[in-house]
Amino acid sequence: MSDKKWVYLFNEVEEAEKYAGSWDGVRGLMGGKGANLAEMTRIDVPVPPFFTITTEACNAYLANGNKFPEDMWEQSLDALKAVEKATDKKFGDPKNPLLVSCRSGAKMSMPGMMDTVLNIGLNDETAEGMVKITENERFVYDAYRRLIAMFGSVVLGINDENFEEVLDEVKKEKGVTADTDLEASDLKDLVAKFKEVVKREKGFDFPQDPIEQMRLATEAVFSSWNVKRAVDYRKAANIPDDLGTAVNICTMVFGNAGWESGTGVAFTRNPSTGEKELFGEYLLNAQGEDVVAGIRNTEPIVKMNEVLPEAYKQFVDITQKLENHYKEMQDVEFTIENKRLWMLQTRNGKRTAKAAVKIAVDMANEDFITKEEAVSRVSPEQVDTLLHPQFLADTLAKAKKDGKQFATGVNASPGAAVGQIYFDADTAERMANEEGQDVIMVRPFTKPDDVHGMLAAQGILTSEGGATSHAAVVARQFGVPCVVGASMVRIDQEKRQLEANGVIVKEGEWVSLDGGTGEAFVGKIDMTAPSLEEQTDLMTLLTWADDICAQEGIRDVPEGWPTTGLQVWANADYPKDAQRARTYGAKGIGLCRTEHMFFEQERLPVVQRMILAETSEERVEALNELLPHQRSDFEGLFEAMDGYPVIIRLIDPPLHEFLPSEETLLEEVITMRVKGEKKGLAEKEALLESVRSMHESNPMMGLRGIRLSIVMPEIVEMQVRAIFEAAANMKLKGIDAKPEVMIPLTGHVNELNHVQPRLVKIAKAVMEEKKVDFEYKFGTMIEIPRAALTAGDIAGVAEFFSFGTNDLTQMTFGYSRDDAERNFLVTYVEEEILPKNPFQSVDTSGVGRLMDMSVKEGRAVRNDLEVGICGEHGGDPASIEFCHTIGQNYVSCSPFRVPVARLAAAHAALKYSALK
Ligand code: PEP
Ligand code: MG
């Protein structure tokens, strides 16, 4: 005998807590469902007696080659006795039979991914016994046929279509459409037919021994931990594979015991909008799966007040009690058996990103939770979803006017999606992943087997099911726009097309879906980014996030370093980007790539003339033409960012990027020669010659950045003049311009020593000319490993560092940033050679180590050195956390990612808070 405890009874939550050490531990041990059932029992919420076989038992079973660990089954049988005692019923006893369900339940909820079997304990004898007790033959045989079908598919692996076919035949024979129209004799007939299906498909009879049923069901639930759909789901939801599932053996209560019975699911707040209102649906005379599968049309939960008022009132009180207890929006399942209410499950409800924000903000405003908790309850990914595209109002209106709308359904998960339609998950996944198509998956309803297709899709459309159907729940969780229950849609799997309101859409054709309104259109509708300003709850939450970061002392850092959290700045090249960045909450510009301004149509010829100039005078002449353009660009930036720092980077890319490519020129020259065109030929030939002379085998490592400033100083001299003239002009207009000049691609301090003092001289000269004075900084990017390795030397000259992690990653790994992702990085990540794509998320142990070292060595020389990041990583939540830990002042990212970064910065500040 082992003294290991594998099984916990409904009233043993304290023992579980003692063993597991914390509530999180209890959830890990008993699974979320088991833990919450036990907790509900503890706080006197009516829960049918049950016991839980632990996740440890599941892991031992799977590790043992699918064998129960020693003593587990004996403990389960003992627990069953205790449940018999509590219910005053006996398992397998025809005179007073106990029936149980066998339900999976992992630590993290994985809706519908693993298996459940209801009505275990029914066999020919107990069924007859129950008929005598209940005097309701219809109900008993309804339960029995459900057991055989569920057991057959879940435990015995029989394709459930075998049972569905038989059910359809029986309904057809009777001329009815709803299951509830079948009479007792029909259901009895169905039981016999279902038994035949088992015999035909498996070669043995449906097991009559209740203990055998329970044992096989338990094994099936354990094994369902490793079925493909569960594994796929865990991968997508970042759930570890080694948690295992618990098994809950619960006393059955019957929602299908008559018209004073029913079953339903509800959320304590609206999971789509976050409104504070009970939201859910129920069905009279039905078992749980009828609601979740969307097979019968449900009623909204408030209507229950009309038919079962007492149970409804009790239900409202309990849901409130549960929300108060957990201080979180709850998603509950309940059953009413002959007017008596039983709670079968509670868990923190999944919700849309919009609802997550509203609920968090409301709960903090209700003083239910703190602002810090509210901020931590919303994930950066959810904020990202809220910035997802919406349809452009006028093109949407036009689509409606032109009669493009072909269906309307339930608005299950918000956001607009445009894609080509496919009617099964495999094709949808293949078209998305292999063909790179934007895909909309269209199904009658979805099952857990469809999740891979749903994850690959831009949007989901189903013709059946409601707001809590599988499609709706999964889509909301992953932020995929989704419309469900569009009942006018008829899918013809043979013809691979759908028909709705007379419109036919074939597989592969384009549709547009609005998951926020539930509308579906043929063709493509233009989309736009949503406006953050209109999302007041999100704005409030992000202000709280900023307040968290702004707290002095929240960061534990060496003397003199910033003790607040990170600020979020933006990468913006044009005044309109800067304005957007500011509305999105940026507190500065961390990178303005000035060369982008050179590419504008009217400027490019002047830039090219400047590059091709043979003398310094010619070059300066062209640059003088460019100067007013640059100055006015910079004025716009300073104006938009009034009072905030603006980092302007001097020209970085190799000059050939501003000239036509050698191939194009060669082709043009040859064509002209062949056609004998003389006009302009000499100029083209000269240009080709210049382009050839500038050719570099490895331009990313060639003449660019600070090297260009040394070889061809006139360009950066013009740029610095433009920056300071712009700042001075703005200053004179009363705008608080804070220019910071950034020199790219430094590798050796001597480069900076050569360039920086000359530029500072220009800055001072301009200020003198304009007779204004303002603060400014000169600093550099750290994007070459040598710069990081000699950061102390460099900080002797540079007043700030900004990590150019795009180049720093490229040069640290030796991976070309333009080619690596296409050529091998995808394979590297798939094969787990690298944990993540290092161009998306900072490689903390390599590139990150260089960054960490740079901050320390830089600040050792210059204690108030300002440090930020402006590579793509500046908007990645994991990288932001890393930047926080190494003591940076700010992260800078594209304006659209600023809100996400603000939340991520607050999460990092809270996670490592020195104020706790
Ligand atoms: C970088 O290298 O990270 C950077 C921001 O500069 P760019 O991408 O312009 O090279
Ligand atoms: Mg760079």
Side-chain angles (χ1 to χ4, degrees), residues 571 591 593 595-596 649 652 700 704 742 744-745 781-783 802-809 817 869-873:
N571 294 354
L591 173 64
R593 291 178 166 103
E595 60 272 8
H596 288 178
R649 180 177 74 181
D652 183 17
M700 272 302 198
R704 55 173 285 219
M742 180 152 78
L745 225 71
M781 294 184 77
I782 302 290
E783 50 186 348
S802 176
F803 291 112
T805 41
N806 303 333
D807 275 312
L808 191 59
T809 301
R817 61 193 259 194
I869 180 174
C870 64
E872 282 312 297
H873 308 78

Side-chain angles (χ1 to χ4, degrees), residues 568-574 577-578 581 586 588-593 637 647 742 802-803 806 869-875 890-898:
V568 178
W569 296 9
N571 294 354
D573 300 337
Y574 302 98
D577 298 336
I589 288 181
L591 173 64
C592 163
R593 291 178 166 103
L637 287 183
I647 296 187
M742 180 152 78
S802 176
F803 291 112
N806 303 333
I869 180 174
C870 64
E872 282 312 297
H873 308 78
Y890 68 88
V891 294
S892 186
C893 57
S894 86
F896 283 105
R897 293 170 91 186
V898 165

Side-chain angles (χ1 to χ4, degrees), residues 22-281:
S22 64
W23 181 244
D24 194 57
V26 177
R27 290 175 50 86
L29 181 71
M30 299 181 70
K33 189 180 288 163
N36 283 336
L37 282 173
E39 184 66 10
M40 282 198 285
T41 311
R42 169 152 73 178
I43 62 169
D44 290 332
V45 168
V47 171
F50 70 96
F51 65 89
T52 302
I53 312 177
T54 64
T55 55
E56 290 181 348
C58 171
N59 286 334
Y61 172 85
L62 296 173
N64 255 343
N66 292 1
K67 266 187 24 221
F68 288 150
E70 192 193 333
D71 208 34
M72 183 209 96
W73 193 240
E74 289 72 14
Q75 291 182 24
S76 303
L77 295 178
D78 286 348
L80 182 65
K81 287 211 178 75
V83 170
E84 286 176 339
K85 198 155 168 237
T87 55
D88 214 10
K89 293 182 178 178
K90 229 169 148 19
F91 200 50
D93 178 0
K95 287 205 258 358
N96 186 20
L98 168 70
L99 303 191
V100 297
S101 62
C102 176
R103 302 166 140 232
S104 58
K107 178 174 183 181
M108 323 292 188
S109 121
M110 297 167 51
M113 287 299 131
M114 289 173 304
D115 290 328
T116 287
V117 185
L118 304 179
N119 306 336
I120 294 172
L122 271 177
N123 57 22
D124 296 350
E125 282 182 24
T126 51
E128 273 310 303
M130 275 191 75
V131 173
K132 280 198 194 113
I133 301 163
T134 60
E135 295 177 359
N136 189 343
E137 190 175 34
R138 189 194 178 283
F139 151 65
V140 174
Y141 281 93
D142 188 35
Y144 195 11
R145 62 102 183 177
R146 286 168 193 268
L147 167 66
I148 303 172
M150 245 189 248
F151 193 93
S153 75
V154 169
V155 181
L156 304 177
I158 301 169
N159 190 335
D160 47 16
E161 278 168 16
N162 288 293
F163 298 105
E164 277 156 28
E165 264 168 29
V166 176
L167 176 63
D168 286 344
E169 268 167 34
V170 171
K171 283 203 275 193
K172 215 157 154 200
E173 270 168 32
K174 289 288 295 183
V176 299
T177 49
D179 295 6
T180 43
D181 292 334
L182 293 173
E183 291 164 15
S185 56
D186 306 323
L187 292 164
K188 219 167 165 177
D189 182 30
L190 209 50
V191 164
K193 290 193 163 134
F194 278 7
K195 283 201 228 160
E196 279 166 24
V197 170
V198 172
K199 181 87 186 189
R200 183 186 76 214
E201 295 296 314
K202 301 303 294 183
F204 53 79
D205 287 322
F206 170 75
Q208 291 285 316
D209 176 4
I211 296 285
E212 181 70 356
Q213 290 172 3
M214 186 171 103
R215 190 179 61 78
L216 290 170
T218 303
E219 291 203 44
V221 171
F222 279 169
S223 303
S224 69
W225 179 253
N226 279 338
V227 296
K228 182 179 179 310
R229 65 178 190 228
V231 175
D232 286 350
Y233 183 95
R234 288 201 291 274
K235 205 165 175 192
N238 257 330
I239 297 175
D241 279 326
D242 59 0
L243 296 177
T245 177
V247 168
N248 299 293
I249 305 283
C250 303
T251 303
M252 283 298 306
V253 285
F254 294 97
N256 55 341
W259 296 102
E260 289 189 329
S261 301
T263 187
V265 293
F267 293 86
T268 55
R269 300 193 185 210
N270 186 315
S272 211
T273 63
E275 276 322 310
K276 194 176 178 186
E277 62 189 8
L278 198 56
F279 176 91
E281 44 198 349

Side-chain angles (χ1 to χ4, degrees), residues 426-491:
D426 290 344
T427 315
E429 186 190 39
R430 187 160 43 80
M431 289 302 175
N433 294 351
E434 289 174 22
E435 306 292 325
Q437 291 186 5
D438 286 342
V439 161
I440 304 279
M441 189 168 104
V442 183
R443 298 282 299 159
F445 52 89
T446 66
K447 293 204 247 172
D449 294 345
D450 295 322
V451 168
H452 58 294
M454 301 171 78
L455 290 173
Q458 301 293 316
I460 297 159
L461 172 66
T462 75
S463 54
E464 298 169 25
T468 52
S469 64
H470 177 265
V473 171
V474 173
R476 273 202 293 275
Q477 185 185 0
F478 292 109
V480 184
C482 174
V483 176
V484 298
S487 53
M488 64 294 291
V489 172
R490 307 241 170 287
I491 299 168

